[in-house]
Amino acid sequence: MVRLKEQWSAEYDRWSRRDLSQTQYVYLWADGIYVNVRLESEENSRQCLLVLMGATAEGKKELIAVRDGYRESEQSWSELLLDLKGRGLSLAPKLAVGDGALGFWAALRKVFPETREQRCWVHKTANVLAKMPRSVQPRAKEALHEIWQAETREAANKAFDAFLEKYQAKFSAACECLRKDREVLLTFYDFPAE
């Protein structure tokens, strides 16, 4: 078991130091993952795994980085992004997708200020639905899907407005959760599929 751990550690070390100077990621996906393990101290309980995925211009998805961080702090994300830049990732990605964790966005704006922001629809859908009763959630989820699955930004805006009109009176907290990120939820319409 010890030998396997040493081998895995060596492989991870090589992978996490690999040269990225010949790589360009057009899109990034970022998330912090918290695991349910019992850790010795309260300080360690705030640790999470920072995970960064990327897609090349050819559409190939790759795991870029997995690293421990303190919660999803700006400092932790900055260290990760600066490490990637230091290993040769010099061209800023066109678009980054992530949840509402402010640490990632603050770090991204400093390290790759040209990169556009897109909020994650999976996270946003879960957050909006959590503010509604279970009986309403299936219909509300369909209405949310109509927004991000719309063919055009215009159609997405119509679906967005329809959702707000339908649910605002009874579920204002859910609607505010959606409304506050409207622009960054629709950024991907600036990047046509072709």
Side-chain angles (χ1 to χ4, degrees):
M1 185 68 132
V2 172
R3 196 168 0 120
L4 285 175
K5 183 182 175 198
E6 288 173 357
Q7 180 182 352
W8 179 83
S9 292
E11 288 174 11
Y12 173 78
D13 190 50
R14 280 191 302 277
W15 176 78
S16 64
R17 294 174 191 247
R18 71 197 182 287
D19 178 41
L20 298 172
S21 61
Q22 301 301 310
T23 309
Q24 181 189 5
Y25 296 105
V26 181
Y27 303 122
L28 295 179
W29 291 270
D31 203 1
I33 299 172
Y34 295 84
V35 292
N36 271 339
V37 294
R38 293 185 184 136
L39 298 170
E40 314 78 52
S41 68
E42 176 64 27
E43 184 177 303
N44 281 338
S45 70
R46 296 185 181 136
Q47 293 291 323
C48 71
L49 295 175
L50 304 177
V51 179
L52 198 64
M53 298 281 300
T56 65
E58 298 76 37
K60 182 181 174 196
K61 290 182 183 176
E62 299 176 358
L63 181 62
I64 302 171
V66 177
R67 169 186 266 187
D68 65 326
Y70 182 76
R71 296 208 179 238
E72 292 184 68
S73 69
E74 178 182 349
Q75 179 65 36
S76 295
W77 279 112
S78 290
E79 289 171 9
L80 186 148
L81 294 172
L82 288 169
D83 176 61
L84 298 177
K85 210 171 189 179
R87 291 190 286 128
L89 190 63
S90 57
L91 293 174
K94 301 284 184 203
L95 184 73
V97 181
D99 63 14
L102 300 178
F104 172 71
W105 299 113
L108 183 72
R109 287 179 201 123
K110 290 177 180 172
V111 179
F112 294 114
E114 311 87 357
T115 302
R116 302 276 307 278
E117 298 177 18
Q118 168 68 47
R119 287 297 181 279
C120 173
W121 271 99
V122 172
H123 285 91
K124 183 54 73 175
T125 298
N127 292 340
V128 170
L129 295 178
K131 298 179 184 322
M132 304 174 98
R134 286 191 186 268
S135 61
V136 177
Q137 289 181 5
R139 288 188 314 276
K141 186 176 182 180
E142 286 177 19
L144 290 168
H145 284 193
E146 287 179 23
I147 300 170
W148 64 265
Q149 291 177 347
E151 290 291 323
T152 65
R153 182 187 293 269
E154 181 182 344
N157 276 313
K158 285 181 182 176
F160 207 109
D161 292 338
F163 182 95
L164 295 175
E165 185 177 337
K166 182 175 184 176
Y167 294 108
Q168 179 61 46
K170 288 189 176 182
F171 310 110
S172 60
C175 289
E176 181 53 32
C177 180
L178 181 65
R179 183 185 294 111
K180 72 183 177 87
D181 288 326
R182 184 176 190 139
E183 291 305 312
V184 289
L185 282 166
L186 302 177
T187 308
F188 71 96
Y189 283 103
D190 292 337
F191 299 87
E194 58 275 358

